[in-house]
Amino acid sequence: MPKQVDHVSRRRLIAEAVCHLADEHGLEGVTLRDVAARAQVSMGAVQRCFRTKEEMLVFTLGHIGERIGERVRARLVRSPAQSAGTALGHAATEISLLREEHRAEARVWLAFVAQAAVNEALATTLRASYAPLQETFTRLIAEAADAETGSGSDAGADDDDDDDDDGDAGADRAALVDPRREARTLLALVDGLTTHVLIGHLTPPEAQDVLHAHLARLWA
């Protein structure tokens, strides 16, 4: 009886091999032969999964985007009682890939971003990966702004005039937040921080400080 092949698992296995080779040699150093050797499959197996190198790279980029998205969703699910503002910080930290265990993934992601500037197929996949991340940011920012506005209304019922003023001011600032624009800004910031850490312009703690300061200023 012919052996049944799980093509989905094999494609993911090959994508992981592409990531390892891209981290070591850059995308220009990724060849079908080397990918087959790293994945411990035959050249024929790679060619049955992907007709061209570009098709293989497009799948790999989508695979990385899905993996990052899954980590963000898992982080949010683990702490369902957290505030939207706290959840936003956790999501931004996951996407920024600043932790040491994500450094290799960050190098590969950046290599794909650079290649996408001259390859429309990769650019299309990259935009598709960014879209759900931006929507997550938009939702969390809108929820956090609503919470800030609500807290300002609650403060207005207090007898302390100073507290009333502070609460009303915070509510006014939250009401002026444009969630979609702020989500675009935050997504661009975390991507930029990843780059600055990889080239050594910022240390991971410095990048985290920039990120946290930006999030604090949303409501300050």
Side-chain angles (χ1 to χ4, degrees):
M1 181 176 179
K3 182 179 179 181
Q4 296 296 313
V5 176
D6 183 345
H7 286 285
V8 174
S9 296
R10 176 160 289 180
R11 282 163 70 90
R12 289 174 179 164
L13 175 68
I14 292 169
E16 287 298 323
V18 171
C19 288
H20 287 300
L21 290 169
D23 183 37
E24 295 168 3
H25 309 294
L27 289 181
E28 64 278 5
V30 175
T31 67
L32 293 178
R33 186 176 302 280
D34 287 342
V35 168
R38 181 60 64 96
Q40 297 184 324
V41 298
S42 67
M43 276 280 290
V46 175
Q47 291 168 329
R48 282 191 292 274
C49 288
F50 303 104
R51 291 168 296 177
T52 64
K53 177 181 176 179
E54 180 178 78
E55 185 178 312
M56 181 176 67
L57 294 180
V58 166
F59 177 84
T60 301
L61 178 56
H63 173 67
I64 298 170
E66 289 174 4
R67 192 165 58 198
I68 295 171
E70 287 170 1
R71 283 205 306 269
V72 171
R73 290 189 292 274
R75 182 71 181 269
L76 298 180
V77 168
R78 282 202 303 270
S79 304
Q82 65 192 345
S83 69
T86 299
L88 179 64
H90 289 331
T93 298
E94 287 293 341
I95 295 170
S96 64
L97 304 176
L98 296 178
R99 292 202 294 271
E100 181 62 36
E101 63 264 32
H102 298 148
R103 200 61 47 79
E105 188 174 61
R107 287 191 294 267
V108 175
W109 180 262
L110 188 59
F112 272 105
V113 170
Q115 190 65 25
V118 295
N119 184 306
E120 182 55 32
L122 289 176
T124 299
T125 304
L126 194 58
R127 289 193 295 269
S129 295
Y130 279 134
L133 301 178
Q134 182 174 304
E135 286 306 310
T136 296
F137 281 168
T138 301
R139 176 178 60 82
L140 292 173
I141 291 170
E143 290 176 4
D146 286 345
E148 286 290 327
T149 303
S151 67
S153 299
D154 293 342
D158 197 290
D159 290 335
D160 190 317
D161 290 341
D162 289 339
D163 288 346
D164 290 352
D165 291 343
D166 290 344
D168 290 343
D172 289 344
R173 287 190 293 270
L176 294 174
V177 169
D178 180 337
R180 189 161 297 279
R181 182 185 63 199
E182 295 298 343
R184 288 195 295 263
T185 301
L186 182 55
L187 188 57
L189 175 64
V190 295
D191 239 21
L193 290 175
T194 302
T195 301
H196 281 243
V197 169
L198 287 179
I199 66 173
H201 178 65
L202 292 175
T203 65
E206 287 171 338
Q208 287 281 9
D209 182 62
V210 170
L211 178 58
H212 293 157
H214 174 78
L215 292 172
R217 280 196 296 271
L218 279 176
W219 327 117

